[in-house]
Amino acid sequence: ALTALAFFAFGYPFALGRAGNGFLSHEGFFASHIESDEWARWVLLFGFIAAGVAIAGGAMAERCQPRVHVCLTLLLSTWIFPILAHWCWSVDGWLSPTRLDDRFLDN
């Protein structure tokens, strides 16, 4: 539940918000700009981040304190994954093959 709330509030806007640059987006917090056709993309990306948090949590099980696990969950779902997702899947991302100007992977 913590991953879903964190990704809903901050992760998705950082990854695929409306306005952004090559590093991350900076608009649409708390789903203020998500349209009805974008919810499917949100669910898809949430599935990726939930799997990533579960894998990292399984690796940390019984090796750290619960507050460290909570901090890692927040860090992964609001900062690390959204930045990588923006770089690769947003039209503004510097590594995106769908970038319209100055493409990094130009043939």
Side-chain angles (χ1 to χ4, degrees):
L2 180 62
T3 302
L5 290 174
F7 188 67
F8 175 78
F10 299 106
Y12 188 80
F14 282 152
L16 299 173
R18 296 279 179 207
N21 53 31
F23 187 67
L24 78 125
S25 297
H26 50 79
E27 251 184 39
F29 297 102
F30 294 95
S32 62
H33 290 99
I34 295 180
E35 297 178 13
S36 61
D37 60 340
E38 290 183 73
W39 285 106
R41 184 184 301 170
W42 185 91
V43 170
L44 175 72
L45 290 179
F46 172 68
F48 285 133
I49 189 61
V53 168
I55 291 168
M60 293 176 22
E62 297 185 12
R63 292 183 178 92
C64 66
Q65 297 177 358
R67 66 175 172 234
V68 174
H69 182 75
V70 169
C71 290
L72 179 72
T73 298
L74 290 173
L75 185 67
L76 283 173
S77 59
T78 60
W79 192 247
I80 295 173
F81 177 78
I83 289 176
L84 295 174
H86 179 76
W87 288 355
C88 297
W89 293 326
S90 174
V91 294
D92 297 325
W94 67 272
L95 192 55
S96 175
T98 60
R99 186 176 174 133
L100 301 175
D101 59 335
D102 192 27
R103 293 176 52 155
F104 179 73
L105 300 172
D106 200 9
N107 290 331

